[in-house]
Amino acid sequence: MKLEAVVIGVSDVDRAKHFYKGLGWREDADFMIDEGFRAVQLTPPGSPCSIQFGLGLPPARPGSVALFLAVPDIEAARAELIAHGADVSEVFHDAGGGLAVRADPATHAPGPDPERRSYASYATFADPDGNRYVVQELTTRLPGR
């Protein structure tokens, strides 16, 4: 079983589609069945999982989603996102040395993880509706993943 797609809430379908395509995400579908149903699906480069948004989909409040994007090089990914127009945070790591990102910025230390451990360096950005993305450097997966 694999996660195929996640529905995110947006307030303006065309604005959201423009934002994600601007990031270089692949447009998989844009189906308008009738006035009350439109499904748009886009996929980040290299990802097996997509996002969906539109009209008449399962309900999702705009700005209510937080998703992780795994990348092999946090600094290169941040630079690419910025080049595509995203407002990306500086790279940070957990000040306590953990492998999980916490929402409280007081727990963030500047720069990548000093040991460059997998899962330990992050950057964040949001779409125009406030749906939040955590970009996480992942070079070696945990056992069983």
Side-chain angles (χ1 to χ4, degrees):
M1 188 179 303
K2 294 182 180 180
L3 183 62
E4 180 69 17
V6 175
V7 176
I8 65 170
V10 301
S11 59
D12 183 319
V13 176
D14 291 320
R15 179 183 70 175
K17 179 179 171 180
H18 178 75
F19 174 79
Y20 287 106
K21 285 186 74 169
L23 294 182
W25 294 25
R26 182 185 71 232
E27 179 182 338
D28 302 318
D30 186 346
F31 301 117
M32 180 121 180
I33 306 304
D34 57 42
E35 295 280 326
F37 186 80
R38 179 179 178 191
V40 177
Q41 179 171 306
L42 293 113
T43 304
S47 178
C49 186
S50 305
I51 60 167
Q52 293 181 355
F53 52 85
L55 304 170
L57 296 174
R61 192 175 78 253
S64 65
V65 174
L67 299 170
F68 280 72
L69 299 172
V71 299
D73 182 328
I74 191 74
E75 290 157 332
R78 180 178 182 273
E80 183 176 345
L81 285 164
I82 290 170
H84 285 282
D87 183 14
V88 186
S89 75
E90 295 293 329
V91 174
F92 63 92
H93 64 281
D94 182 70
L99 293 179
V101 64
R102 297 185 234 183
D104 181 2
T107 64
H108 303 170
D113 178 66
E115 298 171 38
R116 290 312 283 256
R117 296 172 299 156
S118 194
Y119 298 96
S121 299
Y122 314 95
T124 61
F125 71 96
D127 74 5
D129 285 291
N131 293 301
R132 210 167 130 83
Y133 290 85
V134 176
V135 183
Q136 181 178 43
E137 188 171 75
L138 198 161
T139 54
T140 304
R141 289 199 172 274
L142 291 170
R145 300 273 322 194

